[in-house]
Amino acid sequence: MNFTDVLAGKLLLPQEIPLSIPTIAYLQRTNQISQLPSIKQKYNRYQCLRCGNSKQSLFANLPCARCHNRHVYCRHCIATGRVLACENLTIWAGDPPTWPKQIKPCNWKGTLTKHQRQAAETLKNALESRQPEQLVWAVCGSGKTEMLFPVIEAAIKDNLRIGIATPRADVVRELFPRMHQAFPQTAIEALYADSPDRTGTGQLVISTTHQLIRYQEAFDLMIIDEIDAFPFHHDSTLPFLANRACKKVASKIYLTATPRPSQQKQITKKKLPTIFIPVRYHGHPLPIPQPQIEWNLKKKLERGNTPNALQQFMDNRPNIRQLLIFVPSIAILDKASTLLNAVSVHAGDPDRKEKVLDFRQKKLDILVTTTILERGVTFPSVDVVVLDAGHGVFDEAALVQIAGRAGRSPEDPTGEVVLIHQGKTNAIEQAIAQIKMMNRKGANL
């Protein structure tokens, strides 16, 4: 076994090390691994060195089966493995990993558009100069994944390690086969809860942001997809994990279609280098959402009655596309799927992966979903309906992303986007205004 490939860039709990106790002892004697405390205590306050948590209410203690004492553990990161204060974290201190030399790593046969080429060149230059940060602000359907191929190829040629972090497992599952097809000779792994593609030896690692908890100074190039998305912009732990996973001299590339106000402020002040792409790769404009008011909408949904606006849309649509229906909660999800006799999916659904795959393979005509499918997944020909679009869960960014699910294919570059609400909100108006603004900018290029 090549210890470097297995351990380099990792920050592991004892139970996560795939080696025997004698082998671990040998690596310690030869100074190839080192250990650090998992939980630091200072002045009766704790900090978890695994996830960075220092919120005292998220620490508790329990009996240790090994030493029979009570030890503090961190409740914040328990979902990815419990860390006790009596356990050390292991990091690699040996030689850096090396990867097979590749002359032409990329097997993608497609052609980039003019705007994609400009973005791709900007990203390559950022990597070559080890520019710390680069933002790509590109509309939904601009072909962000294809824009990444040249910079990933350049990194592979230079024997660098690449991380792609994204907020949701569905996006990891979609990116994994696309990257395998584009880079067939590269060791690639996909990390999310219960992932079957977890080898521990990837040069290109596609991961949910939470899974970066097991990495430290691993990546020369870190690509963070949908940096504005929940949970990344809600949980300060995730930026901490992403930054820790990077080497001291690394390039970080941020991708977004809907930058948050804080990011827009950085862009305006020229504190964050940004390339702006307001046009889809097929050149057609973004579908503009059509708001439809429905009186007593919430009561109708709670009672399991079909809203008139939804029924009218269902009766008049030509059924040439699949239909993606977004709802604000699981309670409404169950009622809507029963009304429409349709399959539904949500974050905690044990069959989530299979249902999304069935929809992608057109085995399902209608899929009712929560916001888990608002971004990062591509279906070539869908209409989109948002039920109760005025609900707080549908902010401006969410509505823009949801509208971006329609019209993604050059064979079907349009698509209906209907926002059914019982009172227009600022988020609805701002989302429509943003899409119109993007279309104007795209038309003027």
Side-chain angles (χ1 to χ4, degrees):
M1 178 184 290
N2 188 324
F3 301 132
T4 304
D5 289 350
V6 173
L7 297 178
K10 303 289 180 62
L11 182 71
L12 300 176
L13 296 170
Q15 63 268 27
E16 293 173 334
I17 304 173
L19 302 173
S20 65
I21 292 176
T23 301
I24 294 171
Y26 163 76
L27 292 174
Q28 283 183 290
R29 285 197 311 273
T30 55
N31 297 318
Q32 294 184 75
I33 61 173
S34 59
Q35 294 186 325
L36 67 156
S38 57
I39 296 176
K40 182 172 70 174
Q41 181 180 3
K42 187 175 182 180
Y43 304 125
N44 293 320
R45 293 185 65 82
Y46 300 102
Q47 181 184 10
C48 177
L49 299 186
R50 185 167 182 253
C51 71
N53 168 50
S54 58
K55 191 174 182 179
Q56 300 306 295
S57 61
L58 293 177
F59 290 98
N61 64 75
L62 50 68
C64 175
R66 187 177 59 184
C67 62
H68 307 296
N69 292 321
R70 296 187 70 86
H71 289 297
V72 169
Y73 72 98
C74 175
R75 293 192 291 121
H76 184 262
C77 60
I78 196 168
T80 47
R82 188 177 66 201
V83 52
L84 284 168
C86 65
E87 297 175 328
N88 288 323
L89 297 169
T90 296
I91 57 174
W92 179 250
D95 295 332
T98 57
W99 315 99
K101 181 71 176 176
Q102 297 188 55
I103 305 300
K104 190 177 179 183
C106 188
N107 193 46
W108 185 62
K109 306 301 183 186
T111 303
L112 296 177
T113 67
K114 179 182 75 172
H115 306 294
Q116 288 174 320
R117 283 197 308 273
Q118 290 171 347
E121 283 302 313
T122 299
L123 299 183
K124 283 178 65 178
N125 292 338
L127 175 65
E128 288 169 7
S129 63
R130 292 299 188 271
Q131 183 175 304
E133 295 181 308
Q134 175 68 52
L135 176 70
V136 179
W137 180 359
V139 298
C140 301
S142 60
K144 289 191 287 291
T145 301
E146 289 75 14
M147 292 177 214
L148 295 174
F149 289 164
V151 70
I152 292 174
E153 181 175 48
I156 293 170
K157 284 181 178 179
D158 286 347
N159 196 38
L160 304 180
R161 195 174 198 180
I162 308 104
I164 302 178
T166 186
R168 294 176 187 172
D170 298 287
V171 182
V172 177
R173 283 191 283 263
E174 179 164 306
L175 283 176
F176 182 63
R178 293 176 70 182
M179 290 296 173
H180 248 309
Q181 189 173 21
F183 302 98
Q185 305 304 314
T186 302
I188 305 175
E189 59 178 324
L191 305 181
Y192 53 88
D194 302 320
S195 168
D197 304 301
R198 188 187 297 269
T199 65
T201 58
Q203 181 179 7
L204 172 55
V205 177
I206 310 166
S207 171
T208 57
T209 319
H210 289 91
Q211 294 295 319
L212 294 178
I213 197 169
R214 299 183 180 90
Y215 286 88
Q216 177 168 303
E217 295 190 27
F219 301 107
D220 304 276
L221 173 63
M222 173 63 77
I223 300 166
I224 301 179
D225 191 21
E226 307 290 2
I227 193 169
D228 64 288
F230 179 87
F232 196 87
H233 80 284
H234 276 288
D235 187 348
S236 60
T237 300
L238 302 184
F240 166 81
L241 297 180
N243 289 327
R244 187 181 66 188
C246 293
K247 292 183 180 177
K248 287 184 171 60
V249 180
S251 290
K252 292 192 280 290
I253 294 171
Y254 309 132
L255 307 177
T256 181
T258 48
R260 297 282 167 177
S262 60
Q263 293 152 359
Q264 292 190 35
K265 188 178 294 184
Q266 283 185 290
I267 295 168
T268 302
K269 293 182 177 179
K270 300 186 186 303
K271 292 185 176 180
L272 180 60
T274 301
I275 184 164
F276 182 54
I277 305 171
V279 62
R280 287 184 153 187
Y281 76 96
H282 52 53
H284 292 269
L286 296 158
I288 298 174
Q290 303 301 313
Q292 296 286 336
I293 194 160
E294 176 83 22
W295 302 116
N296 297 318
L297 172 62
K298 294 181 187 293
K299 287 184 179 179
K300 289 178 181 177
L301 291 174
E302 289 168 0
R303 292 170 181 169
N305 298 328
T306 306
N308 297 332
L310 176 61
Q311 189 63 60
Q312 185 177 1
F313 176 78
M314 298 287 290
D315 291 341
N316 294 330
R317 64 187 291 264
N319 292 327
I320 59 172
R321 304 183 185 98
Q322 292 171 281
L323 179 58
L324 202 53
I325 299 179
F326 288 86
V327 297
S329 67
I330 292 177
I332 300 301
L333 182 87
D334 295 336
K335 289 181 170 63
S337 58
T338 300
L339 275 175
L340 299 168
N341 192 27
V343 172
S344 64
V345 66
H346 58 88
D349 191 332
D351 300 319
R352 169 180 173 179
K353 178 180 176 181
E354 291 73 22
K355 289 176 179 179
V356 174
L357 182 60
D358 284 348
F359 190 71
R360 180 168 284 116
Q361 294 176 345
K362 298 189 176 181
K363 295 177 182 178
L364 303 174
D365 182 52
I366 301 174
L367 185 62
V368 185
T369 179
T370 56
T371 55
I372 60 162
L373 298 183
E374 77 177 31
R375 59 177 75 216
V377 292
T378 299
F379 306 110
S381 182
V382 296
D383 288 326
V384 175
V385 171
V386 183
L387 279 177
D388 197 8
H391 191 283
V393 75
F394 297 121
D395 61 10
E396 177 188 350
L399 291 173
V400 171
Q401 290 282 355
I402 287 169
R405 298 313 98 203
R408 297 179 74 93
S409 167
E411 286 76 32
D412 183 19
T414 58
E416 298 290 329
V417 180
V418 179
L419 309 181
I420 301 176
H421 64 91
Q422 67 174 30
K424 197 179 286 187
T425 61
N426 288 337
I428 292 174
E429 293 182 340
Q430 290 163 358
I432 293 172
Q434 183 182 148
I435 291 170
K436 288 180 177 179
M437 179 270 290
M438 289 290 196
N439 285 343
R440 285 195 302 272
K441 288 183 178 291
N444 292 330
L445 289 177

